[in-house]
Amino acid sequence: MKAKKVIAEAEARKIHYELGIRHPSEIEVHLIATSYGAFVRERNLKGVDGLLVRKGKNAIISVRNSIPEEGKKRFVIAHELGHYFLHPQARQTDMLMKDEVDRLSYLQSHEELEANYFAAELLMPCDMFKLALNDCDPSFAEISRLANLFQTTLSATAIQYVKYTQEPCVFIISKNLGKPWFFVREDFDFRVESRDKIHAYSVTADTIKNGCKYDRANDVPAGVWFRGYSDSGKDYITEETFVLGNSGIAYTLLWVHDAI
Amino acid sequence: MNNTYQKTRICGVVKGLESTQETPESARENLELLGYDVDAEYVSFRRRFKGLIHKHTWKEAAITKNDKFKQKIAVIDKWSKKSNDEINLAYQMAQDSEYALAARNLENLTRAEKIAILEDKELLDEG
């Protein structure tokens, strides 16, 4: 069964409308949840980030109190709230395993995807997000600014950024240079090459191998990432990489800055 | 204030047709002559008004609800004092009930997570 993205996003927009929310600072996710009968509590959980227990129209959402980032806590609550609204029959109890929210994968069930679509739209509504976009080159600095404004995670914000910016971009997550997960808009003109390993000529590979945390270059051959181009050609794209601590997880942003 | 009068006045105010000189009956008649369904307008107005009020009051109401919920949480702490066997038995019973229907990721739970589920179940049962 395919994830019902439109329905999930519409459900989140309905909440903004019903509560008259018009600014990112008004998106107080725990109060929104309470308003609809889902109480939120922080707990000393060990192996899970979030937990939802439901009975009828009431529910309790627990979030792991040792999650260091406020943005991640908010996303976990919003994700469980997504199950609460979207899957009333299927999920009486749900657990979001530790760091599952960071492990984006093509293998996620449609229910998990729907809960993520809901969470993204609840925390970063399309209309507010588009208004907040600055007219500047795509970068993790800009994505980070938006993540601060909407108090969300960098990865969730990057996906929303790629979705709504006018610039042709790709957001990629990889671990230890293994098979990457990527997000592109439906109207993206290029096809990302499906590889089991990140290409050695990429900025991402270079950054990880050199033990660095960050790098950006605007002369990466398009063939390093895109199908139908040479990896030593002169069609260049911009690649920016950001490595998360010592986890081996790299966030990569590709930007087709010029016609290729 | 009778219901007809209330409906007609609200309808008149909403449509900008209010006249203090008119009786409720004539106001209603005039509105109906102009093509308004007074009863339907009243229902619609009530709904819009309620929605408008909610937009300005939901946050305070949620904070109050939250405070009450926190008071309830403070009372429920019996599970943490129980043995692993007792927790496992209670959890198994909960798993067999409606709380675990089509649940996901419920294998290999730690004691902390089992206690969390049992506590939440109890809180929700209390209503």
Side-chain angles (χ1 to χ4, degrees), chain A residues 17-21 26 28 30-32 34-35 37 39-41 43-48 51 53-55 58-60 62 90-97 100 112, chain B residues 51 54-56 58-59 61-63 65-66 69 73 76 98-110 112-117 119-121 123-125 127:
Chain A
Y17 173 75
E18 284 176 351
L19 302 182
I21 292 170
E26 294 169 354
E28 294 179 71
H30 68 289
L31 289 181
I32 292 172
T34 305
S35 174
F39 296 93
V40 178
R41 60 187 299 194
R43 269 198 170 122
N44 184 24
L45 300 175
K46 304 284 181 206
V48 303
L51 165 66
V53 180
R54 175 215 306 267
K55 186 180 185 187
N58 284 318
I60 296 173
S62 301
R91 294 280 164 82
Q92 305 304 303
T93 310
D94 181 76
M95 286 212 174
L96 190 61
M97 302 314 279
E100 193 178 356
E112 289 313 296
Chain B
H54 185 58
K55 282 177 188 179
H56 292 279
W58 72 269
K59 205 173 277 186
I63 290 168
K65 267 168 126 179
N66 249 345
F69 177 67
I73 292 173
I76 296 193
E98 74 230 73
Y99 289 96
L101 280 177
R104 188 180 73 98
N105 289 335
L106 293 179
E107 309 83 23
N108 306 320
L109 292 182
T110 64
E113 279 105 48
K114 284 178 185 170
I115 288 175
I117 290 176
E119 274 186 6
D120 288 353
K121 177 184 178 306
L123 281 165
L124 289 168
D125 279 342

Side-chain angles (χ1 to χ4, degrees), chain A residues 122-136:
Chain A
L122 184 72
L123 299 175
M124 297 170 281
C126 167
D127 50 349
M128 288 184 216
F129 198 86
K130 282 181 178 171
L131 271 176
L133 285 172
N134 273 345
D135 186 18
C136 62

Side-chain angles (χ1 to χ4, degrees), chain B:
Chain B
M1 195 160 57
N2 70 40
N3 205 26
T4 308
Y5 181 76
Q6 193 183 19
K7 280 183 187 176
T8 310
R9 264 188 71 88
I10 288 174
C11 191
V13 170
V14 172
K15 297 295 173 194
L17 296 168
E18 189 194 32
S19 164
T20 52
Q21 303 302 312
E22 282 182 296
T23 63
E25 290 74 22
S26 75
R28 184 185 181 97
E29 210 170 281
N30 286 338
L31 286 163
E32 281 171 352
L33 278 173
L34 287 166
Y36 292 111
D37 179 340
V38 174
D39 293 332
E41 292 289 346
Y42 176 68
V43 170
S44 157
F45 174 80
R46 282 283 299 260
R47 197 175 52 237
R48 289 206 307 272
F49 192 65
K50 212 174 154 189
L52 194 66
I53 296 284
H54 185 58
K55 282 177 188 179
H56 292 279
T57 56
W58 72 269
K59 205 173 277 186
E60 280 171 27
I63 290 168
T64 309
K65 267 168 126 179
N66 249 345
D67 290 343
K68 282 186 188 166
F69 177 67
K70 279 177 193 161
Q71 285 170 13
K72 273 189 175 181
I73 292 173
V75 177
I76 296 193
D77 63 346
K78 68 175 186 187
W79 292 106
S80 56
K81 292 168 191 152
K82 297 209 175 195
S83 70
N84 280 349
D85 285 346
E86 285 172 310
I87 297 276
N88 285 337
L89 182 66
Y91 178 72
Q92 192 56 49
M93 286 167 73
Q95 229 189 356
D96 294 339
S97 77
E98 74 230 73
Y99 289 96
L101 280 177
R104 188 180 73 98
N105 289 335
L106 293 179
E107 309 83 23
N108 306 320
L109 292 182
T110 64
R111 179 183 159 89
E113 279 105 48
K114 284 178 185 170
I115 288 175
I117 290 176
L118 290 169
E119 274 186 6
D120 288 353
K121 177 184 178 306
E122 197 168 319
L123 281 165
L124 289 168
D125 279 342
E126 281 184 3

